[in-house]
Amino acid sequence: MTIASAPRSKRGATAAWHQFVPKLVSVLRQGYGLAEFRHDVFAGLTVAVVALPLAMALAIASGATPEKGLHTAIIAGFLISALGGSRVQVGGPTAAFIPVVFVVIEQHGYGGMLLCTFMAGLMLIAAGLMRLGTLMKFMPQPVITGFTAGIAVSIFSSQVKDIFGLSIDRLPAEFLQRWQAYFAHADSLNSWALTLALASLAVILLLRRLRPQWPGFLIVVVLSSLWVSFAGLPVDTIGSRFGEIPSALPRFALPVIPIDRIAQLLPSAFTIAFLAGIESLLSAVVADGMTGGRHRSNAELVAQGIANCASALFGGLPATGAIARTATNVRAGARSPLSGILHSVFLLGFMLLAAGAMSFVPLATLAAILLMVAWNMAEIEHFKHLWRGPHGDRLVLVLTFTLTVMFDLTIAIEAGVVLAAFLFMHRMAEVVEINSGVPLIGDDGEERGEDARQRERLPSGVEAFQFAGPLFFAVANRLDTLLDAYIDAPRVLILRMRLVPLIDASGVHALQQFLKRCAAQDTAVILSGLQTQPRKVLRKMGVVPRPGLAFAQDYEAALALCRAVKDGAEAS
């Protein structure tokens, strides 16, 4: 017994530490050639072209100078790709940080923001080492959508000044006071700035429709800079407001740590760490869906923490995985984390060689770029989709959205999660009263009665899976790994739901993602034995029978239906 247990223990320890190995190491071990390098060079250059104007715009919107955004993309972007757990993740400053960073700089100065970012980095490292990466998946979908949409509104609100060219010396951080300042200074409107912003938006939208593969943001920045320079338009530019961007490497400096401010900055540091963790893992999941890969969530959190600590030490902003830039990286043909590393190298080259030209970039154009970022973040269709969910999920969605816009992102996240937890406990109390004796979570895999013989009756190419208990936000992620249990995707999959007493919006979202994966693998799905509440919620949120998805009254009906589906697929 002693001899047999030692290898298992050793293998367990090896597997435990394997989750912290950077993807770059795994890729190089598997073999990396010149062809892959060429793909990564092209992808890195493409992402750098997209990130160049975006990094400056995000820094300005956060209340910092434009070179801080470039420094963040260079330092943090390099480390996120080099040490992270995703094959194609691209990191840097993102729009999610704008509201919290703006408030921290407004209240505590730029030094306070650096300390806040450094503390957030330490929190992320600790979360990764404690293997809390999987816990990030338990965040309720209405909370994520609520604060994401709220951030989009906050970004739009912050850009009104530059879009209309208003003369406001100090822009308030609070939402209502900010709009009061806009109306109070409405007479200072600059028609040229508004014309430039609208023209930039029009060109971006036109390029997205006609030439989506072109770098629309960079093209607009170049065209508008030439227009302002040669026509002498009276609008604010990076040079007129911030001076010339220094064409030098970012400097390392140990931050001064005011001990008395740590307690004040702790909530904001937690918010930055939370946002960095959530957005980086969401971005990694999107990349997995596009590439068919599998990221290491705990390695990703450790890399995000190291990147944020390093960014603070070089005077940069908070950073995380950027979904849009990561998707651009994948579409450009990235093969390994080297593409993200090269994206940082190219950005450094742009800054060293073209810093003088960046001074002519008009702020109205950068504001137009951020409006497009805010529109993409808002995910209006997803917001409307969740609005068709249960009343409790709608309440969480609206509360999180409202608190994010009107008050503070930290308060919004805390209130949203607490309310979602209370609603879940209320739902569980109702379920226990009505279905006393139905097991809540079927983790032991033990099946009784007819369930013990379910596999004996399955036709060839058909698989069945039973989900026991409520399909809510804390267990919805189990559906994501269901197909990974099969080496070859089944032709038909029966998902038995008779022991699922309720489903919430996060459960529906997870089920829809699962159905998309099944459709991509040509696997037909049959939901059997749906109870009243899940059937009603699925119908309201648009999950109804269609090609590739069928509902069956019970397991017997599902078996009969799957034979017909299988026979029809074979005949075609």
Side-chain angles (χ1 to χ4, degrees):
M1 291 295 293
T2 304
I3 297 175
S5 63
R8 284 199 297 269
S9 176
K10 186 176 181 180
R11 285 196 301 268
T14 302
W17 284 106
H18 176 73
Q19 60 185 300
F20 295 105
V21 176
K23 274 287 185 178
L24 178 62
V25 175
S26 300
V27 169
L28 295 179
R29 284 176 179 172
Q30 293 169 2
Y32 186 83
L34 185 59
E36 288 82 6
F37 181 71
R38 283 198 297 265
H39 281 285
D40 284 337
V41 169
F42 178 76
L45 179 59
T46 302
V47 178
V49 166
V50 172
L52 179 65
L54 202 54
M56 294 189 294
L58 293 171
I60 293 171
S62 300
T65 53
E67 73 271 10
K68 300 300 184 184
L70 294 173
H71 294 170
T72 305
I74 293 167
I75 300 297
F78 182 95
L79 292 172
I80 287 172
S81 295
L83 304 177
S86 174
R87 180 182 286 263
V88 290
Q89 179 89 285
V90 175
T94 67
F97 294 122
I98 289 177
V100 61
V101 172
F102 188 93
V103 171
V104 170
I105 294 177
E106 179 78 12
Q107 296 178 354
H108 303 284
Y110 198 78
M113 193 279 303
L114 293 179
L115 176 58
C116 205
T117 303
F118 191 83
M119 289 194 298
L122 295 179
M123 292 179 187
L124 286 167
I125 295 173
L129 294 178
M130 290 188 292
R131 303 173 190 173
L132 300 181
T134 53
L135 295 182
M136 294 287 187
K137 300 176 183 178
F138 293 167
M139 181 59 53
Q141 197 64 36
V143 175
I144 295 176
T145 302
F147 76 68
T148 302
I151 289 171
V153 173
S154 299
I155 293 172
F156 166 76
S157 173
S158 68
Q159 298 308 301
V160 172
K161 172 188 173 182
D162 288 331
I163 290 173
F164 290 92
L166 302 179
S167 298
I168 304 176
D169 294 332
R170 188 180 182 85
L171 193 63
E174 297 79 12
F175 182 80
L176 294 179
Q177 288 85 335
R178 183 179 292 169
W179 280 94
Q180 288 177 353
Y182 290 152
F183 287 115
H185 295 81
D187 56 348
S188 64
L189 183 145
N190 185 330
S191 58
W192 280 111
L194 179 59
T195 300
L196 189 61
L198 293 177
S200 299
L201 276 175
V203 173
I204 292 172
L205 293 172
L206 190 63
L207 287 175
R208 286 196 172 189
R209 184 177 182 85
L210 301 179
R211 293 290 185 272
Q213 71 276 15
W214 289 9
F217 288 168
L218 185 63
I219 291 174
V220 165
V221 164
V222 172
L223 292 178
S224 60
S225 300
L226 291 174
W227 186 13
V228 169
S229 178
F230 287 106
L233 300 183
V235 297
D236 284 343
T237 63
I238 288 179
S240 65
R241 183 177 296 182
F242 302 103
E244 186 173 340
I245 295 178
S247 57
L249 295 172
R251 295 182 178 180
F252 176 86
L254 289 173
V256 178
I257 302 179
I259 303 299
D260 57 328
R261 280 193 182 180
I262 290 181
Q264 300 174 14
L265 291 171
L266 200 59
S268 296
F270 175 79
T271 301
I272 291 174
F274 173 81
L275 288 175
I278 284 287
E279 190 165 1
S280 65
L281 295 182
L282 286 177
S283 178
V285 169
V286 170
D288 289 347
M290 296 178 71
T291 63
R294 196 111 180 132
H295 73 280
R296 297 167 185 155
S297 56
N298 294 315
E300 189 63 33
L301 288 183
V302 172
Q304 298 291 336
I306 294 174
N308 276 277
C309 289
S311 180
L313 293 175
F314 282 91
L317 300 167
T320 185
I323 296 177
R325 274 159 276 175
T326 298
T328 301
N329 192 36
V330 175
R331 288 194 293 265
R335 294 291 188 269
S336 76
L338 279 175
S339 62
I341 294 174
L342 290 170
H343 129 271
S344 298
V345 174
F346 284 125
L347 278 177
L348 177 61
F350 292 156
M351 189 183 72
L352 295 178
L353 299 177
M358 295 179 192
S359 301
F360 297 100
V361 176
L363 298 181
T365 296
L366 295 181
I369 290 174
L370 286 182
L371 283 190
M372 292 302 304
V373 172
W375 178 262
N376 293 332
M377 281 190 68
E379 294 185 334
I380 295 176
E381 289 302 320
H382 190 42
F383 194 99
K384 290 162 61 177
H385 177 70
L386 287 177
W387 187 252
R388 299 197 295 269
H391 293 293
D393 290 326
R394 278 187 264 176
L395 180 59
V396 173
L397 178 68
V398 172
L399 177 69
T400 309
F401 172 78
T402 303
L403 291 178
T404 300
V405 174
M406 295 294 182
F407 296 99
D408 181 72
L409 189 57
T410 306
I411 297 174
I413 294 171
E414 292 173 351
V417 172
V418 170
L419 180 58
F422 275 106
L423 287 171
F424 166 69
M425 289 186 286
H426 174 69
R427 288 166 177 163
M428 289 301 97
E430 290 185 340
V431 171
V432 171
E433 290 175 6
I434 298 172
N435 302 292
S436 60
V438 174
L440 292 183
I441 304 294
D443 271 337
D444 56 4
E446 184 179 349
E447 298 174 334
R448 300 173 177 85
E450 66 170 330
D451 301 329
R453 300 185 302 276
Q454 75 168 11
R455 293 194 57 80
E456 300 174 3
R457 307 163 60 194
L458 291 175
S460 174
V462 179
E463 294 286 353
F465 180 85
Q466 178 168 273
F467 201 101
L471 187 55
F472 67 106
F473 64 85
V475 297
N477 64 296
R478 296 183 188 178
L479 281 172
D480 185 54
T481 59
L482 176 56
L483 288 179
D484 297 333
Y486 304 112
I487 298 176
D488 297 319
R491 300 292 298 275
V492 182
L493 179 63
I494 300 174
L495 192 59
R496 304 185 64 186
M497 307 284 284
R498 68 183 181 88
L499 297 182
V500 178
L502 67 84
I503 185 171
D504 67 0
S506 297
V508 176
H509 177 75
L511 182 59
Q512 288 177 317
Q513 297 302 313
F514 171 75
L515 293 175
K516 287 181 180 179
R517 285 192 63 187
C518 289
Q521 299 182 18
D522 293 325
T523 298
V525 178
I526 300 174
L527 303 183
S528 71
L530 282 169
Q531 297 189 34
T532 302
Q533 193 271 357
R535 184 182 292 271
K536 183 184 298 183
V537 172
L538 290 175
R539 184 179 65 250
K540 289 180 64 177
M541 299 189 72
V543 181
V544 295
R546 57 179 182 268
L549 174 63
F551 289 3
Q553 184 176 358
D554 52 28
Y555 188 49
E556 295 297 332
L559 287 174
L561 185 58
C562 77
R563 293 189 186 97
V565 172
K566 181 174 177 291
D567 293 342
E570 290 176 349
S572 62

